[in-house]
Amino acid sequence: SRRFNLLVAALNDLGFDAKKPKGSFYCYVKAPVGTESGKVFNSASEFSEFLIHESLISTVPWDDAGKFIRFSVTFEADSLQKEIEVINEMNERMKILKLKF
């Protein structure tokens, strides 16, 4: 769907190695190792907690498979423009964090 295309493009813009999922509405990506300011993430859970506290972005950590984060498109928008606005907002909130991969 176009939402996933927008999500994948935004995640790749941030430095994640995201690919459009086949037959799923979840997108799993490797969690970053830290931030440019020196914060270190020893697990996907640590990154997920950091992201919700710092940016109000909710993700699902998946450490059993090796430090992955699940992003999903779980919002409603009335138009393509609104979808773009939501994804851009997520992107801007995460850019401020200056993540390292």
Side-chain angles (χ1 to χ4, degrees):
S1 85
R2 68 182 181 216
R3 286 184 189 171
F4 259 114
N5 291 335
L6 294 169
L7 176 64
V8 168
L11 291 172
N12 285 328
D13 181 55
L14 291 163
F16 290 94
D17 182 20
K19 294 173 181 54
K20 185 176 178 192
K22 296 177 183 175
S24 171
F25 54 93
Y26 303 122
C27 182
Y28 285 94
V29 292
K30 277 285 219 186
V33 296
T35 65
E36 288 181 13
S37 65
K39 177 78 174 159
V40 174
F41 307 119
N42 294 308
S43 67
S45 295
E46 283 183 16
F47 173 66
S48 188
E49 286 180 35
F50 174 80
L51 198 55
I52 192 84
H53 286 102
E54 296 295 321
S55 299
L56 298 176
I57 297 172
S58 179
T59 57
V60 177
W62 189 23
D63 285 308
D64 293 341
K67 215 171 146 185
F68 284 89
I69 292 293
R70 183 179 86 188
F71 287 89
S72 54
V73 178
T74 56
F75 63 88
E76 287 195 34
D78 296 332
S79 65
L80 174 58
Q81 183 58 38
K82 290 289 185 191
E83 289 179 13
I84 291 169
E85 287 174 18
V86 170
I87 297 293
N88 285 344
E89 175 69 22
M90 179 205 72
N91 196 325
E92 290 305 313
R93 289 183 192 182
M94 289 179 56
K95 269 186 184 173
I96 292 168
L97 303 175
K98 299 185 189 260
L99 302 173
K100 288 177 57 178
F101 294 86

